């Protein structure tokens, strides 16, 4: 009877985690398609449009680790539920926003809610699945992420073309309500990995302030105060590390990095991977609509190939990482990503659409092979009491990478175009910023391969070594 109950719990957790993992990337990729229409409706320049993406990522990154730690202490289901609620309400605010500043505020609130979801969804999944089944479960979860990315450009393009960009947020509200209902009615029990331990509020505030200062300063490097903010942020980072090594109950257990090479280099590989690849969709969306003259619907159909390949490959890659060293599978993925980005360096006004599709397919193969094996490596490298923190750290690496990626693009767009809107008169300046972005991303991909290979061998426990235990609710 207990075994049957455990099986139901695993399936419910997988459905809920995968559904929530679909919603947020769907929102992100659909918004990329809608940005030109938002720019026209609110008459804002391309740098402001990039901030609609960056602000969301920044808000998510600031709160991810603290809320992941809070989930370990108070309960992962509870924090997950609050996260979905906040994300859904913020999506509603975005749908009814009456000026670009309200929309920007709504995106920040979406990021706050998303930090609670990202910091707990994978942790809940890991809590109910034993190591010998995690790769398969994570592969399905990652496939849901990429399904959201796949439908984002296509469905987002259709919605934007026929109903306007606000319809994307309204659809997200409906999906958020669906997840809320499933969590309340179907996901029973609670998972607490560090019950009774203190929450490091001072460390959390220091962490959030450091991330905010560092990331914002990076995006404003062309301004007089940008470099100063980066220096202050780096100083805050070193002080945060020094402090966390000395407190009894830190918000981020820094010793995980010092004594666990697999955890350290797997997170570094994730940081580099997303730094080198995230802004590709943003740049290609603008390129296809402004330079090639495609409609939102047509651009969405072109961009669907990359995440579609990720959906196909991710479950296979996750399952493969249960049997083969995760670092090898992930490193092959980084190799494909490097090739795809390098080919995009040659993008021009005369580049045929089939070439863009080919590059997208190669990138999709790379992402699919990298993500779930790398997640499997990170989560299997820590004790159960750190699942929430480890999930938060990995998500933070992903989001910091995404912000670095958008920061590089925002910086280059500012240098080449200033605050001008994209018009045929400045297409050449836009393409110069795009080409230089892809050159930088190619170099980062090469570094990512080295980081992925440097993590060393990792042997995951077998079913027999785990003793056949599948689920333990209410961890001590």
């Amino acid at each position: 009877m207990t075994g049957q109950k455990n099986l139901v719990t695993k399936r419910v957790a997988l459905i809920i985690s995968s559904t929530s993992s679909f919603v947020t990337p769907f929102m992100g990729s659909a918004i990329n398609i809608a940005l030109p229409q938002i720019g026209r409706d609110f008459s804002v320049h391309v740098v402001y449009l990039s901030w609609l993406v960056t602000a969301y990522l920044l808000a998510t990154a600031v709160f991810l680790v603290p809320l992941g730690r809070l989930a370990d202490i108070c309960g992962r289901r509870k924090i997950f539920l609050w996260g979905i609620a906040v994300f859904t309400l913020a999506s509603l605010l975005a749908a009814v926003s009456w000026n670009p500043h309200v929309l920007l505020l709504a995106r920040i609130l979406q990021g706050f809610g998303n930090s609670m979801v990202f910091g707990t969804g994978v942790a809940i999944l890991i809590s109910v699945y034993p190591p010998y089944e995690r790769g398969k479960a994570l592969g399905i979860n990652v496939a849901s992420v990429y399904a959201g990315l796949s439908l984002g450009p296509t469905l987002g393009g259709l919605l934007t073309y026929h109903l306007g960009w606000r319809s994307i947020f309204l659809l997200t509200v409906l999906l958020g309500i669906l997840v809320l209902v499933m969590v309340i009615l179907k996901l029973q029990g609670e998972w607490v990995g560090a019950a009774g331990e203190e929450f490091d509020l001072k460390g959390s505030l220091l962490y959030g302030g450091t991330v905010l200062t560092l990331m914002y300063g990076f995006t404003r490097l062309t301004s007089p105060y940008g470099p100063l903010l980066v220096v202050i942020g780096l100083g805050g980072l070193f002080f945060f590390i020094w402090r966390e090594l000395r407190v009894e109950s830190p918000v981020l257990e820094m010793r995980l990095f010092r004594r666990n090479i697999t955890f350290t280099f797997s997170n570094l590989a994730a940081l580099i991977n997303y730094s080198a690849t995230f802004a590709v969709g943003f740049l290609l969306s603008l390129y296809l609509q402004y330079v090639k003259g495609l409609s939102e619907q047509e651009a969405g159909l072109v961009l669907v190939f990359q995440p579609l390949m990720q959906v196909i490959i991710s479950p296979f890659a996750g399952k493969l990482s249960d049997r083969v060293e995760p670092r090898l599978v992930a490193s092959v993925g980084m190799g494909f990503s490097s090739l795809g980005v390098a080919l995009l360096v040659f993008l021009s006004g005369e580049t045929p659409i089939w070439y863009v599709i080919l590059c997208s397919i190669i990138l999709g193969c790379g992402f699919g092979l990298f993500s779930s094996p790398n997640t499997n490596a990170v989560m299997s490298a820590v004790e159960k009491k750190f699942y929430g923190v480890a999930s938060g750290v990995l998500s933070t690496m992903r989001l910091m990478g995404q912000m670095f990626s958008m920061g590089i693009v925002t910086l280059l767009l500012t240098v080449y175009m200033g605050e001008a809107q994209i018009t045929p008169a400045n297409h050449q300046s836009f393409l110069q910023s795009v080409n230089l972005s892809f050159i930088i991303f190619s170099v980062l991909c090469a570094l990512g391969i080295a980081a992925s290979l440097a993590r060393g061998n990792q042997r995951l426990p077998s079913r027999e070594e785990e003793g056949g235990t599948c689920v333990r609710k209410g961890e001590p």
Side-chain angles (χ1 to χ4, degrees):
M1 191 68 180
T2 302
Q4 182 66 27
K5 186 177 180 181
N6 289 341
L7 181 61
V8 171
T9 301
K10 289 195 292 184
R11 287 176 177 173
V12 170
L14 181 59
I15 291 170
I16 290 173
S17 177
S18 298
T19 305
S20 65
S21 294
F22 170 89
V23 174
T24 49
F26 168 80
M27 177 83 265
S29 58
I31 277 294
N32 279 341
I33 288 293
L35 286 175
Q37 190 180 99
I38 293 173
R40 289 191 295 270
D41 284 359
F42 288 135
S43 299
V44 293
H45 51 76
V46 68
V47 175
Y48 194 95
L49 291 178
S50 72
W51 269 105
L52 291 177
V53 179
T54 304
Y56 167 77
L57 298 173
L58 188 58
T60 306
V62 165
F63 294 104
L64 247 174
V65 169
L67 290 173
R69 174 61 177 165
L70 190 63
D72 283 341
I73 296 172
C74 300
R76 292 160 191 161
R77 178 185 179 275
K78 184 186 302 181
I79 299 299
F80 181 88
L81 187 62
W82 275 104
I84 288 293
V86 172
F87 182 83
T88 303
L89 289 173
S91 299
L92 181 61
L93 176 62
V96 300
S97 57
W98 51 93
N99 64 49
H101 307 304
V102 174
L103 179 57
L104 185 62
L105 173 63
R107 292 290 286 162
I108 293 171
L109 291 175
Q110 276 190 319
F112 174 65
N114 195 38
S115 68
M116 290 187 255
V117 176
F118 268 18
T120 53
V122 173
I124 290 173
L125 202 59
I126 293 297
S127 297
V128 301
Y129 276 89
Y132 56 84
E133 292 182 337
R134 282 177 193 161
K136 181 180 178 180
L138 289 170
I140 295 171
N141 185 261
V142 170
S144 299
V145 173
Y146 294 146
L149 290 171
S150 299
L151 279 177
T154 308
L155 185 55
L158 286 169
L159 289 171
T160 303
Y161 185 77
H162 293 287
L163 300 174
W165 59 267
R166 296 177 191 273
S167 61
I168 294 174
F169 291 101
L170 290 174
L171 178 59
T172 305
V173 171
L174 295 177
L175 292 172
I177 292 173
L178 175 63
V179 176
L180 271 174
V181 172
M182 285 195 295
V183 174
I184 293 171
L185 297 181
K186 297 294 185 180
L187 189 62
Q188 303 302 317
E190 185 57 279
W191 292 266
V192 183
E197 295 186 11
E198 292 185 9
F199 178 67
D200 183 13
L201 180 59
K202 292 181 180 178
S204 298
L205 293 173
L206 178 60
Y207 173 85
T210 295
V211 172
L212 182 62
T213 304
L214 186 60
M215 293 297 98
Y216 182 72
F218 182 75
T219 62
R220 304 294 294 176
L221 281 176
T222 55
S223 68
Y225 57 86
L228 177 61
L229 289 175
V230 171
V231 172
I232 293 173
L234 289 173
L237 179 62
F238 285 116
F239 179 68
F240 172 76
I241 294 172
W242 177 85
R243 183 187 182 279
E244 293 299 283
L245 288 170
R246 284 159 178 78
V247 297
E248 184 176 345
S249 183
V251 66
L252 177 56
E253 181 55 79
M254 298 304 302
R255 295 173 186 85
L256 288 175
F257 293 95
R258 189 167 64 182
R259 66 192 180 202
N260 194 326
I261 189 171
T262 299
F263 182 81
T264 300
F265 278 97
S266 295
N267 276 290
L268 178 61
L271 174 66
I272 295 173
N273 179 269
Y274 287 98
S275 296
T277 57
F278 177 75
V280 171
F282 173 79
L283 290 174
L284 289 182
S285 175
L286 297 179
Y287 167 79
L288 290 170
Q289 293 183 67
Y290 283 115
V291 178
K292 303 300 288 185
L294 272 60
S295 68
E296 296 94 343
Q297 184 174 325
E298 292 167 336
L301 290 173
V302 172
L303 293 176
V304 76
F305 286 92
Q306 174 188 312
L308 183 61
M309 292 304 300
Q310 295 167 223
V311 172
I312 295 170
I313 291 176
S314 291
F316 162 76
K319 191 173 182 179
L320 184 63
S321 71
D322 285 332
R323 296 169 171 79
V324 181
E325 273 191 65
R327 73 176 181 121
L328 297 178
V329 183
S331 298
V332 171
M334 281 295 297
F336 274 98
S337 296
S338 181
L339 175 61
V341 172
L343 291 174
L344 286 171
V345 169
F346 306 103
L347 217 59
S348 69
E350 292 73 40
T351 301
I353 297 298
W354 67 261
Y355 185 86
V356 178
I357 293 174
L358 175 63
C359 294
S360 297
I361 290 173
I362 295 172
L363 279 168
C365 292
F367 291 163
L369 287 169
F370 174 82
S371 189
S372 50
N374 195 67
T375 302
N376 194 9
V378 170
M379 299 303 292
S380 298
V382 301
E383 303 170 38
K384 289 186 176 182
K385 65 179 292 187
F386 295 123
Y387 282 169
V389 171
S391 177
V393 170
L394 180 59
S395 295
T396 300
M397 292 299 107
R398 177 170 61 245
L399 286 159
M400 288 184 71
Q402 291 171 349
M403 282 190 297
F404 273 125
S405 193
M406 286 301 300
I408 291 168
V409 168
T410 301
L411 176 63
L412 293 176
L413 286 172
T414 303
V415 170
Y416 281 93
M417 299 190 62
E419 296 187 350
Q421 296 188 34
I422 302 176
T423 63
N426 56 28
H427 277 179
Q428 192 57 40
S429 297
F430 172 71
L431 284 171
Q432 286 176 332
S433 66
V434 169
N435 296 146
L436 184 54
S437 296
F438 286 135
I439 290 173
I440 295 172
F441 293 159
S442 298
V443 174
L444 287 174
C445 275
L447 294 175
I449 296 173
S452 184
L453 289 171
R455 74 184 79 185
N457 298 334
Q458 181 184 26
R459 179 179 172 274
L460 303 181
S462 66
R463 180 188 296 267
E464 292 73 19
E465 291 170 322
E466 279 288 304
T469 302
C470 292
V471 179
R472 281 195 286 183
K473 293 171 65 177
E475 293 171 38

